[in-house]
Amino acid sequence: MDLRLLIVDHTAQESEDLRKILQDRVKEVTVVVSGEEAKALILSGAYDALITEYVLPDFGGKEIIHAILSKFPLFPVFLRSNHVPMEELFQLAQSGVLSYSAKSEDVNEFADTILEKIESSFLLIKDRFPQKQGEQRLPFSQYHSQNAETSKIFKTAIERVAQAPSTVLLLGESGTGKELLAKTIHFHSPRVENSFVAVNCAALSETLIESELFGHEKGSFTGATTRRIGRFEKANGGTFFLDEVGDLSPLVQTKLLRVLQERQIERVGGNKPIPVNVRVIAATHRNLPEMVKRGKFREDLFYRLSVITLDLPPLRKRPEDIPGLTHYFVERFRKQVGREPFLISPRCLRALSNYGWPGNVRELENVIERAVVLSISNKLDITDLPREIASSENDQQAQISLKKARESFEKEYIIDTLYRNKGNVSASSQLLGIARKNLQEKIRKYDIDVDDIRNPDEEESSE
């Protein structure tokens, strides 16, 4: 991997094993002992990720983490230390730390985690897949979900779904990031060198959408003065994203079904079948099974589209993602308008985290853009937010959100520990410092599949 990693540790020798393992897998690994030096190097843009100790002689790991993430909210930061209080770990995870490891734990597994986390946060897309002329980058090219369910969906999409040619149906409320997920699948698939073509079915009338999807021949209808190549042909060899597929008319549903069955199209006004090799990803916020029951959506088309189904949760069910998304949007919009870096007040973040976000990520994006443009200072405060969002600062939901965020971190931490111990519950309970019975209760509570974690060729010992 073409990565430059920086390790800061007050005793450089303690990081030597990690450095040796990583240096064989990335472009450069540097170890420094000074927190101030590490901060300066990261802020200069010389490195792609930071692995830091919590206790440093001149500048604590906590201070380094906050200094870097306040300026670069999505920068990959990892913590390796034997001196971090559990309650502090939760706060650091909320601020954006991607993973933690005690120095007593397996250094090889921590190295694997570092590289996997960086790759899953899409930081390598621009290096592996150079941008084509006229093609836009992924809108959240550095987005990494802190929510366990969402993170698992993207991991499945990258590692399994992207490699298959199967048709995919993406479900979820409007604004949850379905197009981002579709682009993620495309950019990690064998079709990445070809086009990603998207069309919003809800934005076009029935007459227009036929021409958009399939194209038309010259003279096929009034105004058709030239031949038009449709989106399916433009996507040939690549990926075709049909957003809001639940809004298609019965006629277009029938034509789409034929394309999926026969892998060929006919332009409007034409009679010559044209082969198309496309991977179709469809998305909708509608309840398609219910539409099938009411006769509003073809049952055979539904089954053709839902070979693989991924369901993105709404933003209100993943509040732990709100701080990271907020920082990302602030940084993006302040650069667009040429303003200095912004600070975000704790009150502002608390209100944003407590709000229900009926419009999901898209609504959050619009709110932050408005706040950045209209703010009279370089600090976003609660007064920069719409009244209905600002009023949620002291909402009772804050306690619920905090509880969910804490449980999410605890679940991920338990899963990481089980993976380090190949699913051995006894060894994991010792490492976590809790009784084996308590760990088993948490495994049941969080519905963790230990059998899936274990190596199938090994049985857990000392049960």
Side-chain angles (χ1 to χ4, degrees), residues 15-27:
S15 293
E16 187 61 20
D17 290 342
L18 180 61
R19 185 192 67 80
K20 287 179 179 178
I21 293 169
L22 288 171
Q23 73 177 4
D24 293 332
R25 301 171 64 180
V26 301
K27 182 178 180 179

Side-chain angles (χ1 to χ4, degrees), residues 449-462:
D449 190 343
V450 179
D451 290 333
D452 190 47
I453 295 173
R454 292 175 182 146
N455 187 320
D457 296 328
E458 294 182 15
E459 296 294 333
E460 182 180 9
S461 60
S462 65

Side-chain angles (χ1 to χ4, degrees), residues 117 120 122 143-161 181 184-185 309-313 318 320-321 408 411-412 415 419 446-450 452-453:
K117 290 282 188 180
S120 68
F122 314 131
Y143 174 58
H144 176 82
S145 177
Q146 297 296 320
N147 175 265
E149 182 182 354
T150 307
S151 181
K152 183 177 180 180
I153 289 171
F154 274 85
K155 180 179 174 64
T156 300
I158 292 170
E159 296 181 356
R160 298 185 182 181
V161 178
L181 183 54
T184 301
I185 293 170
T309 302
L310 299 174
D311 193 350
L312 278 172
R318 44 187 171 114
E320 58 269 50
D321 276 350
S408 176
K411 178 179 177 179
E412 286 299 299
I415 290 174
Y419 268 110
Y446 296 129
D447 194 24
I448 298 172
D449 190 343
V450 179
D452 190 47
I453 295 173

Side-chain angles (χ1 to χ4, degrees), residues 190-463:
R191 296 176 178 267
V192 65
E193 297 300 332
N194 298 310
S195 298
F196 176 91
V197 177
V199 63
N200 187 329
C201 302
L204 299 170
S205 66
E206 181 176 338
T207 53
L208 283 177
I209 200 165
E210 276 195 81
S211 178
E212 280 293 320
L213 295 182
F214 311 116
H216 62 251
E217 296 290 352
K218 180 179 178 180
S220 58
F221 54 85
T222 303
T225 56
T226 60
R227 170 186 285 178
R228 177 185 176 87
I229 302 301
R231 300 290 184 94
F232 266 106
E233 287 185 77
K234 290 180 180 179
N236 198 32
T239 302
F240 190 25
F241 177 55
L242 281 165
D243 198 9
E244 298 302 349
V245 71
D247 289 68
L248 288 177
S249 69
L251 174 62
V252 179
Q253 288 180 37
T254 301
K255 290 193 173 186
L256 176 58
L257 176 63
R258 189 177 303 124
V259 174
L260 295 175
Q261 289 175 333
E262 301 174 6
R263 297 294 169 178
Q264 59 185 24
I265 63 156
E266 286 185 12
R267 300 191 189 110
V268 176
N271 54 17
K272 178 184 176 181
I274 302 170
V276 287
N277 172 21
V278 296
R279 200 263 182 88
V280 174
I281 301 178
T284 183
H285 72 283
R286 298 186 181 276
N287 186 333
L288 291 189
E290 183 61 31
M291 291 181 67
V292 169
K293 290 180 182 178
R294 293 188 285 112
K296 299 293 186 180
F297 199 85
R298 292 187 62 119
E299 185 176 24
D300 46 4
L301 177 58
F302 170 68
Y303 289 125
R304 281 282 181 178
L305 291 174
S306 58
V307 176
I308 296 175
T309 302
L310 299 174
D311 193 350
L312 278 172
L315 188 57
R316 63 183 173 275
K317 291 188 177 180
R318 44 187 171 114
E320 58 269 50
D321 276 350
I322 292 173
L325 286 168
T326 299
H327 283 291
Y328 171 79
F329 288 133
V330 166
E331 185 68 7
R332 190 175 103 189
F333 291 125
R334 73 93 184 165
K335 287 180 178 179
Q336 287 181 3
V337 297
R339 301 190 62 170
E340 295 296 315
F342 271 72
L343 295 175
I344 306 175
S345 75
R347 291 186 67 196
C348 181
L349 275 180
R350 186 160 57 246
L352 291 170
S353 298
N354 292 347
Y355 183 61
W357 298 109
N360 293 296
V361 179
R362 189 178 295 122
E363 182 185 6
L364 174 61
E365 179 180 11
N366 294 337
V367 166
I368 298 303
E369 180 177 11
R370 173 186 178 278
V372 169
V373 171
L374 298 181
S375 176
I376 59 175
S377 70
N378 280 21
K379 179 180 179 180
L380 286 190
D381 209 339
I382 195 166
T383 54
D384 296 304
L385 302 177
R387 184 177 301 173
E388 66 273 17
I389 299 177
S391 64
S392 68
E393 179 197 3
N394 296 316
D395 194 350
Q396 290 297 316
Q397 183 184 350
Q399 296 179 5
I400 300 173
S401 298
L402 180 61
K403 178 183 177 183
K404 287 184 177 179
R406 189 185 299 275
E407 288 179 346
S408 176
F409 177 78
E410 184 178 59
K411 178 179 177 179
E412 286 299 299
Y413 192 67
I414 289 172
I415 290 174
D416 284 344
T417 304
L418 286 166
Y419 268 110
R420 291 191 186 104
N421 290 281
K422 298 181 179 179
N424 189 301
V425 177
S426 299
S428 298
S429 65
Q430 293 176 10
L431 190 59
L432 291 167
I434 62 176
R436 187 177 184 282
K437 179 180 178 181
N438 291 343
L439 178 55
Q440 288 178 321
E441 290 176 355
K442 291 181 182 294
I443 288 172
R444 286 191 292 270
K445 174 183 176 181
Y446 296 129
D447 194 24
I448 298 172
D449 190 343
V450 179
D451 290 333
D452 190 47
I453 295 173
R454 292 175 182 146
N455 187 320
D457 296 328
E458 294 182 15
E459 296 294 333
E460 182 180 9
S461 60
S462 65
E463 284 296 308

